Amino acid sequence: MTVSVKEIIELAPHNLLWASGALLFAASLAWSRRIGQARSLLWGALRMMLQLLAVGYALRWIFAARHPLPTLLMLLVMGGFALQIMAGRLRHKLPGFYRIVSTSLLAGCGGITLYFCLLVIGPSPWYDPRYLIPLAGMIIGNSINGACLAVERFAAEMTERRAEIETALCLGASCRMACQGPLRNAFQAALLPSINTMAAMGVVSLPGMMTGQILSGTDPLTAVKYQIAIMCAIVGSVALTSALLLLQGYRAYFTEAHQLRC
Amino acid sequence: MSSPAAAVLRIEGLGKNRVDEQGSQVAVLRDVELSLFAGRITVVIGPSGGGKSTLIRLLNRLEEASKGRVLLDGQDIRRYDPLQLRRQVALLAQKPFVFSGTVLENLQRPFQFQGRIPPPGNDPQLRELMELCQLPVSWLQRDAGSLSVGQQQRLCLVRSLATGPEVLLLDEPTSALDRPTVDGLAVSLRAVCRKRQLAVLLVTHDLHLAEIIADDLAYLEDGRILEQGNAAEVLGRPRTPALQRFLTPPTRERN
């Protein structure tokens, strides 16, 4: 089985300029037809470019350093940003937010990332940033999305289904039993995007990571194997992080005496 | 009021404060003293917003009292495990809530919540209770959501009583029902209270219901009990101007 392995075509600055032409065209159309969003589009694109360039230089430096400390630092920064993004969406919906979310992220995303890197791929050295950082990025990115969906759904259901929950409490249910319905629906909301993505994968969409590997000259079958492995890790982490978050978070809605907090 | 038997539930100096929008403490219940006896129905009447629902919610610890204490069989309810307490002190809410599923499945839910074996549909005790509450046994396999509000309230009554509580609390159980349905429910309540020797507390602003059902009666306004005693005596000779006002123009209360 031989596949000709070619080096990827390097993009020169003028190539990037041409690429941004697509976006500039869309923005100018939006501006000239007065349908709005032109400014947001341009600002978003500028931000994206700067963030990516910065991370590109940082990664180049971390890869060259070959030391666990910068890698760890990078992971911490990523985790910190994840926490901030979630705080913006969820802080008011979950009492005790920081403690619950940080432990769930650490155990869910951190646990799965380490398990995956050390046991499934096993790079040497074990902290090889070329594997650890991009994998952690994909795992965290998907997990915070799932976790946000879970908490948002749970918070909404706890308000909507108040009568049901109090009825259950009055009939002698523990708070865990009383919010079984909201927990189930919240967990489903967290997993639905992952399950849909898996269903569409390969049939409708070629996933980004696989596309990237193929573009850089990797044998498609190797890329597919990586994609299968990373999808398992991502979905596992989405499920684990959301479940930990929900199973700790529901308690925040109740007192020790199985009473709903107002 | 002066029953020689010991009270099943004794409320002593009960008070509840809430924090209002300005952030200051407001008393919604003050110094409530009340006793419930086995086989007797005590009705608390009074205008809406007088603290009636709050009183009920303190008795099975859906909320915590700020002052005073409640004794169930002589023991402070705060010393009970809240889950155990709610198995002995049932609460029927204003709006009936039925879980999705059949009538039988609804009746089995509390047993599942309490980790007990749910009774089958032909359980004689369950059937007797259904008969007392006029919930036809032939409905067991019907979808609970398809019942009318009045029928759902009966289902909720049977569901609350199926696990055998000592005390039954009812929070405005008839506010969504029409007059004939109210009368029917009152008959059921009286029957089940006598037969099961339940201590019943019912709060309502419906004077008609109070008249036909109460053994003992208390009048609650602005968080205070202004009058209480034997229902016929209190309703027949109201002493306080507040209760006289509440009783006299019947048209005013019918909203």
Side-chain angles (χ1 to χ4, degrees):
Chain A
M1 191 158 101
T2 52
V3 177
S4 62
V5 174
K6 281 195 276 183
E7 275 293 300
I8 192 162
I9 306 161
E10 183 70 26
L11 286 184
H14 71 270
N15 297 122
L16 276 186
L17 217 64
W18 279 118
S20 65
L23 192 130
L24 287 174
F25 174 72
S28 64
L29 188 74
W31 179 76
S32 68
R33 298 293 147 198
R34 311 233 175 284
I35 52 175
Q37 298 301 318
R39 187 189 290 266
S40 318
L41 215 56
L42 290 176
W43 176 239
L46 190 69
R47 234 187 106 145
M48 177 267 293
M49 285 178 202
L50 291 177
Q51 278 171 207
L52 285 180
L53 281 173
V55 88
Y57 281 108
L59 284 179
R60 185 180 262 183
W61 178 73
I62 292 168
F63 289 0
R66 306 280 294 171
H67 192 274
L69 216 62
T71 309
L72 201 68
L73 198 72
M74 183 73 185
L75 292 180
L76 275 180
V77 169
M78 288 160 70
F81 273 113
L83 201 60
Q84 270 327 102
I85 291 168
M86 290 178 75
R89 278 172 72 174
L90 304 178
R91 201 172 41 222
H92 305 294
K93 296 192 172 122
L94 190 66
F97 170 84
Y98 281 101
R99 183 184 54 80
I100 294 169
V101 173
S102 51
T103 51
S104 311
L105 275 182
L106 203 64
C109 298
I112 294 278
T113 305
L114 280 187
Y115 164 81
F116 189 72
C117 257
L118 299 187
L119 288 172
V120 180
I121 299 183
S124 119
W126 64 269
Y127 59 84
D128 190 349
R130 252 187 61 209
Y131 288 91
L132 199 52
I133 291 175
L135 290 176
M138 281 192 283
I139 286 172
I140 296 175
N142 283 281
S143 298
I144 60 174
N145 216 7
C148 282
L149 290 170
V151 173
E152 278 167 354
R153 181 64 177 271
F154 187 69
E157 295 228 348
M158 287 301 283
T159 312
E160 280 167 27
R161 296 170 76 167
R162 199 184 165 88
E164 175 186 346
I165 292 162
E166 288 213 322
T167 301
L169 290 175
C170 285
L171 293 172
S174 65
C175 57
R176 171 69 179 79
M177 291 173 183
C179 67
Q180 175 74 0
L183 280 178
R184 286 182 68 101
N185 287 349
F187 191 57
Q188 186 196 30
L191 285 193
L192 209 60
S194 300
I195 290 169
N196 286 340
T197 307
M198 285 197 288
M201 197 153 277
V203 193
V204 182
S205 67
L206 283 187
M209 188 193 76
M210 202 173 100
T211 312
Q213 281 186 313
I214 292 174
L215 280 177
S216 70
T218 308
D219 172 9
L221 263 181
T222 307
V224 162
K225 281 186 259 176
Y226 262 90
Q227 189 61 41
I228 291 172
I230 189 71
M231 270 319 285
C232 293
I234 286 176
V235 178
S237 173
V238 169
L240 191 62
T241 308
S242 315
L244 287 173
L245 194 53
L246 287 171
L247 291 176
Q248 292 183 83
Y250 84 87
R251 287 172 196 276
Y253 284 79
F254 295 91
T255 67
E256 287 292 310
H258 302 269
Q259 299 157 331
L260 265 179
R261 286 184 206 278
C262 300
Chain B
M1 180 65 191
S2 55
S3 171
V8 177
L9 194 89
R10 262 196 71 72
I11 303 168
E12 295 179 347
L14 202 65
K16 174 71 179 172
N17 298 334
R18 282 195 204 288
V19 180
D20 70 358
E21 279 130 33
Q22 278 85 45
S24 49
Q25 296 266 328
V26 184
V28 287
L29 273 186
R30 279 175 280 200
D31 282 330
V32 173
E33 302 269 343
L34 204 63
S35 294
L36 308 184
F37 298 94
R40 283 182 82 79
I41 299 179
T42 304
V43 174
V44 173
I45 53 164
S48 303
K52 300 192 301 294
S53 294
T54 305
L55 172 63
I56 284 239
R57 293 169 62 85
L58 299 180
L59 302 183
N60 77 340
R61 286 186 71 195
L62 272 185
E63 289 183 42
E64 222 60 67
S66 314
K67 273 192 208 121
R69 60 178 191 163
V70 179
L71 304 175
L72 175 66
D73 295 324
Q75 199 181 170
D76 194 319
I77 60 168
R78 281 168 299 193
R79 294 183 54 194
Y80 283 80
D81 169 38
L83 303 183
Q84 286 298 332
L85 175 73
R86 289 178 198 143
R87 288 164 201 193
Q88 291 179 55
V89 182
L91 189 156
L92 200 62
Q94 184 169 358
K95 263 176 67 186
F97 180 87
V98 297
F99 299 102
S100 61
T102 63
V103 170
L104 178 61
E105 282 164 349
N106 263 276
L107 296 176
Q108 291 172 332
R109 278 305 269 278
F111 291 90
Q112 291 157 351
F113 285 146
Q114 299 175 17
R116 295 157 63 179
I117 298 162
N122 58 9
D123 182 77
Q125 278 195 326
L126 187 67
R127 291 199 167 217
E128 189 205 329
L129 186 64
M130 289 178 75
E131 219 160 279
L132 270 176
C133 300
Q134 297 172 42
L135 187 71
V137 176
S138 58
W139 290 2
L140 277 173
Q141 297 307 325
R142 277 178 67 173
D143 175 25
S146 70
L147 304 182
S148 73
V149 183
Q151 293 162 347
Q152 288 188 358
Q153 195 60 287
R154 281 181 192 284
L155 167 57
C156 290
L157 179 65
V158 176
R159 193 177 60 189
S160 295
L161 296 177
T163 50
E166 289 179 78
V167 180
L168 174 65
L169 311 169
L170 302 113
D171 183 6
E172 308 260 12
T174 59
S175 61
L177 309 181
D178 57 20
R179 183 61 77 85
T181 316
V182 171
D183 293 347
L185 196 72
V187 171
S188 300
L189 263 176
R190 284 194 83 97
V192 80
C193 168
R194 301 286 188 265
K195 181 100 183 174
R196 296 267 163 132
Q197 284 299 296
L198 278 171
V200 178
L201 174 67
L202 185 153
V203 306
T204 183
H205 62 260
D206 180 354
L207 202 53
H208 167 71
L209 177 65
E211 279 167 347
I212 59 174
I213 206 171
D215 296 312
D216 300 315
L217 190 122
Y219 178 69
L220 184 78
E221 190 180 304
D222 284 338
R224 283 179 206 277
I225 288 188
L226 300 180
E227 246 181 274
Q228 62 178 309
N230 178 283
E233 284 170 23
V234 174
L235 289 173
R237 284 187 299 279
R239 288 178 287 111
T240 55
L243 180 55
Q244 285 160 5
R245 266 199 310 277
F246 186 77
L247 294 178
T248 33
T251 44
R252 217 205 273 170
E253 265 304 302
R254 301 176 76 187
N255 44 16

